Amino acid sequence: MAQCNQCDRLFRSTEALFAHCRDKDDHPFCEDCDRLFSTFTGLDQHMQNAVVHHDRSDSESDEYASESDDDDDDDEPFCVGCNRWFVDLASLYQHLAASAKHNWCFACSRDFATPTSLDQHSSSPVHRGLDFECPLCSKRFKTPSSIALHIESGTCHNISRAQVTAAVHALKIVPTISVSRRIEGGTIRVVSYYVTERAFNGTAYECYLCHRTFRTLGALNSHINSPTHDADEFKCPKCKRKYKLVSGLMQHIESEACGIARFQVVEDFTKNLVDQFLKRLKL
């Protein structure tokens, strides 16, 4: 059984858990690495710092190579999946490339269960260049949604996700992506919550909105200030699926799941919107 640490649901398999996380835009989940984080800040730090999300050469060590690359290390390269030793790295790499048992990504040093999974991974954003620059700082990212997630997390100039949401709504994108229940006008209201020790129920710290429990007060505070309890703000113009954050909608479009647009179209559209978005964000 696999458990979601965001909503405490149990799933029969890890694959089912990952599918659940991909469907929840309020879950800090990295689709490229199939990894769920406890907070969006942690996910943002992962996107910035993880080697797999940055360009790197194929010459880096991996889990199937010997533990040390020092010239004095005489250990032979070992394939964990086949329990087999090789005389040198070249032989190991030839084995990983040719063996029907492996669907190996040499850039990420990662094996996949099927050739289809490897193909999907190879075409994913993890293998794209850092082509997108944050309009507010010098950090670069591989996808437009990564920029949105970076800004929404509050780590870039202390801009809140509420400000990002309001700025995107103000762009009046056609076809509309805003949930129709929104009332035009008014000021942006940024609310931060702080939970005290009174949230302790005798065994754990409990969220008064969803009654989910946490072991520490800090974890509960992170939860209560996350998008978990936000209202849906955006929708896909094609399949009408709703999202709390624009980054969630952008990830949905980038995945080409419902065929609303190819990734190149998303790239071109994003570049055209960056200047307008920046002006709105500074208002």
Side-chain angles (χ1 to χ4, degrees):
M1 299 289 283
Q3 184 175 15
C4 174
N5 64 19
Q6 295 294 309
C7 52
D8 288 337
R9 285 185 58 186
L10 292 174
F11 297 86
R12 293 184 178 180
S13 66
T14 303
E15 290 74 17
L17 169 62
F18 291 161
H20 160 77
C21 292
R22 293 188 192 98
D23 289 339
K24 298 291 184 179
D25 60 295
D26 59 344
H27 283 31
F29 182 71
C30 176
E31 294 191 26
D32 297 321
C33 300
D34 284 337
R35 183 177 174 187
L36 180 62
F37 292 81
S38 58
T39 65
F40 278 88
T41 300
L43 174 58
D44 182 56
Q45 291 174 346
H46 163 76
M47 297 294 292
Q48 295 178 42
N49 301 325
V51 176
V52 72
H53 291 294
H54 297 272
D55 295 330
R56 63 175 184 172
S57 67
D58 292 347
S59 62
E60 292 186 85
S61 61
D62 57 59
E63 61 180 288
Y64 282 76
S66 58
E67 293 183 359
S68 174
D69 292 329
D70 296 339
D71 294 337
D72 296 333
D73 193 344
D74 294 329
D75 289 345
E76 296 176 337
F78 180 69
C79 175
V80 177
C82 299
N83 193 30
R84 179 180 170 187
W85 295 95
F86 292 84
V87 294
D88 53 31
L89 282 175
S91 299
L92 170 61
Y93 292 153
Q94 184 178 10
H95 161 74
L96 292 172
S99 174
K101 282 180 141 184
H102 297 290
N103 301 285
W104 187 257
C105 174
F106 285 89
C108 301
S109 297
R110 182 179 173 190
D111 212 356
F112 291 84
T114 65
T116 301
S117 297
L118 175 59
D119 290 341
Q120 291 175 341
H121 166 76
S122 298
S123 61
S124 70
V126 73
H127 286 296
R128 297 190 179 106
L130 302 174
D131 298 330
F132 297 91
E133 182 175 344
C134 174
L136 303 174
C137 67
S138 60
K139 292 180 180 177
R140 302 187 67 85
F141 300 87
K142 294 190 175 186
T143 62
S145 62
S146 297
I147 296 178
L149 180 62
H150 159 68
I151 300 175
E152 287 169 346
S153 69
T155 60
C156 186
H157 296 280
N158 293 320
I159 294 173
S160 71
R161 63 180 183 274
Q163 291 172 294
V164 175
T165 294
V168 175
H169 282 312
L171 295 178
K172 299 185 182 300
I173 297 171
V174 177
T176 182
I177 62 172
S178 298
V179 173
S180 59
R181 61 171 177 75
R182 289 185 52 81
I183 300 176
E184 298 294 333
T187 58
I188 301 171
R189 186 184 179 194
V190 181
V191 180
S192 295
Y193 298 95
Y194 181 75
V195 184
T196 67
E197 289 288 344
R198 296 180 64 182
F200 191 72
N201 64 10
T203 57
Y205 294 94
E206 182 177 350
C207 173
Y208 68 94
L209 295 174
C210 64
H211 304 293
R212 181 185 168 192
T213 57
F214 300 83
R215 284 182 289 181
T216 67
L217 186 60
L220 175 55
N221 271 302
S222 296
H223 164 77
I224 204 69
N225 284 291
S226 75
T228 302
H229 298 299
D230 289 358
D232 291 328
E233 295 284 352
F234 303 99
K235 63 181 179 181
C236 173
K238 183 175 182 179
C239 68
K240 309 305 179 184
R241 185 173 170 183
K242 295 180 180 180
Y243 297 87
K244 301 176 188 296
L245 303 174
V246 71
S247 59
L249 173 60
M250 293 172 72
Q251 286 176 337
H252 167 70
I253 297 174
E254 288 169 356
S255 72
E256 303 176 12
C258 71
I260 185 174
R262 305 293 295 176
F263 189 84
Q264 184 60 50
V265 175
V266 179
E267 288 186 358
D268 296 340
F269 181 69
T270 300
K271 289 175 180 177
N272 292 333
L273 284 178
V274 163
D275 290 340
Q276 300 178 56
F277 173 76
L278 183 57
K279 291 177 182 177
R280 291 287 183 178
L281 205 54
K282 289 182 176 179
L283 291 178

